[in-house]
Amino acid sequence: MRWHDRALCCLYILTSLWLTWTTVLEALNGPLWAALAYGASSLVPLAAIVEQGELVDLRQAARWYAARARHHRDTALLHDALCHPRPGRRGAR
C-alpha cells in the first residue's frame, strides 16, 4: 500500500468511528430512527476500506503482469536476434 492509500483508509476509519459515536449519542438522546440511520451509515466506510484493499491488490497484479510481459517480450526479441540474424549484419549467412 502506498502512503495515500493508507491515509485514505485512516480517513475511512475516523469517519466510521465518528458515525458510531454519533449513533451512540443519538440512541441515548434522540429518536431511534436517527440512531439506526447513523448506525447503518457507519458501515459504509468499512466497505470502502475493503474496496480500497481490493484496488491495491489489483494494481499490484497489473504491475506484476506488465513486468512479466516486458520480460517475455525482451526474451523473445533476444531469441529472435540470436537465432534469426538479418542479412547484412555481422554473423548473417
Side-chain angles (χ1 to χ4, degrees), residues 79-93:
H79 175 73
D80 188 41
L82 293 176
C83 295
H84 307 289
R86 294 183 181 153
R89 288 187 157 179
R90 188 171 29 158
R93 295 180 194 155

Side-chain angles (χ1 to χ4, degrees), residues 6-78:
R6 287 189 187 110
L8 191 58
C9 285
C10 286
L11 286 174
Y12 288 148
I13 289 170
L14 289 174
T15 303
S16 184
L17 289 174
W18 177 76
L19 286 168
T20 303
W21 176 245
T22 305
T23 302
V24 170
L25 292 177
E26 198 63 35
L28 293 175
N29 301 321
L32 183 60
W33 66 268
L36 291 175
Y38 281 122
S41 64
S42 69
L43 298 177
V44 173
L46 299 178
I49 291 172
V50 172
E51 185 67 26
Q52 187 68 27
E54 289 177 9
L55 286 174
V56 168
D57 292 342
L58 287 173
R59 286 183 195 131
Q60 288 174 347
R63 282 193 299 269
W64 185 82
Y65 281 116
R68 182 177 172 200
R70 278 192 307 273
H71 172 73
H72 285 300
R73 184 195 66 219
D74 292 345
T75 304
L77 289 175
L78 181 62

